[in-house]
Amino acid sequence: PTPKQLLGDLRAAMAAKLATSTQSLVQCEVHKDAVVCQDAKVQGNHGIKVGEGTVVHPASIIHAEAGPIFIGCFNIIEEQVEIVNSSEVPLVIGDHNMLEVGSKVLGEGGRRVGDANVLECRSVLKPGSSVSNGCTLGACTWLEGETLSDETVVVGPGLRHVESGAKEAHVQAVTKFIEVLKETLPR
C-alpha cells in the first residue's frame, strides 16, 4: 500500500472508532481529508459531521447532546474547545473558522458560527448568540443573546469595532495553519 492509502485507512479506522465510542453512541461522519485526533471526545446521541480539511485537536469536546452538529470545511478546533448542542435544531459551524484553546460554543442549534471567524482563547458563544462572517471574539470575552455583524471584533464588554477585510485575512491564515497541522498532529 502507498502512504496515501495507509493514511486513508488510518482515517477510516479513526472514524469507525469515534462512531463506536463507549462513551455514548454517536453517528460521526468525518470527511476523508479531515483530521480528528484520537484523544478528541466526540459524543452524543445525535449525528456529527466534520467537513473536508477540518482539524480537531486532542482534548476537544464535540457533544451532540440533544441534536446534530455540522462542522464545515477547513476549520481548526484546538485543545479544550467545547462545542455542545443542547437543542434538537442542528448546530452549524461554517467554513475556515479558528476556535482557539478553551473557547466554547454552547447551547442551542442554528447557524451559530458563520465563515472565517476567530474565537480566541477562552471566549464563549453562549445560547442565543451567533457570529456572522469574518468576526473575532477576543480572548476571555463572551457573547450572549445577540448576533455579531460581519467583520466585527469584540475585545471586551462594550468594546468592539469593525475590521474591514478580516474575513479574507482569516481564510488565508486558517488555510496556511491547516497545512502545518496536518503534518504535525498525532492522528
Side-chain angles (χ1 to χ4, degrees):
T2 67
K4 191 171 188 174
Q5 289 171 325
L6 290 172
L7 183 58
D9 292 346
L10 178 61
R11 287 186 177 130
M14 287 174 48
K17 182 179 179 190
L18 290 173
T20 58
S21 169
T22 57
Q23 293 174 346
S24 59
L25 184 60
V26 61
Q27 290 180 324
C28 185
E29 181 182 332
V30 178
H31 189 279
K32 66 179 181 67
D33 292 327
V35 176
V36 177
C37 291
Q38 186 173 353
D39 292 336
K41 295 179 183 174
V42 180
Q43 57 193 21
N45 294 321
H46 305 279
I48 296 171
K49 184 175 180 179
V50 179
E52 175 185 3
T54 291
V55 177
V56 181
H57 288 240
S60 56
I61 299 170
I62 302 172
H63 189 183
E65 184 178 279
I69 297 173
F70 300 113
I71 300 171
C73 300
F74 306 104
N75 293 291
I76 299 172
I77 300 171
E78 292 186 339
E79 293 87 350
Q80 300 175 7
V81 167
E82 291 182 42
I83 301 169
V84 179
N85 186 6
S86 57
S87 164
E88 292 180 6
V89 176
L91 188 152
V92 180
I93 295 175
D95 302 331
H96 296 98
N97 293 292
M98 168 74 113
L99 281 65
E100 294 182 356
V101 175
S103 62
K104 299 179 182 185
V105 178
L106 303 175
E108 61 205 22
R111 186 163 178 92
R112 300 288 305 288
V113 180
D115 297 328
N117 296 289
V118 176
L119 275 62
E120 292 183 352
C121 296
R122 300 186 65 199
S123 61
V124 181
L125 195 58
K126 294 185 176 185
S129 58
S130 61
V131 293
S132 297
N133 301 301
C135 297
T136 301
L137 194 54
C140 300
T141 61
W142 67 91
L143 193 64
E144 186 169 17
E146 66 177 300
T147 298
L148 286 185
S149 299
D150 286 354
E151 300 185 331
T152 300
V153 178
V154 176
V155 292
L159 300 172
R160 49 183 78 184
H161 64 275
V162 174
E163 185 176 323
S164 296
K167 181 178 178 185
E168 185 56 35
H170 291 172
V171 168
Q172 291 175 6
V174 166
T175 301
K176 288 178 184 176
F177 195 19
I178 285 173
E179 291 306 314
V180 172
L181 290 174
K182 282 184 173 181
E183 300 302 319
T184 59
L185 279 175
R187 300 175 199 263

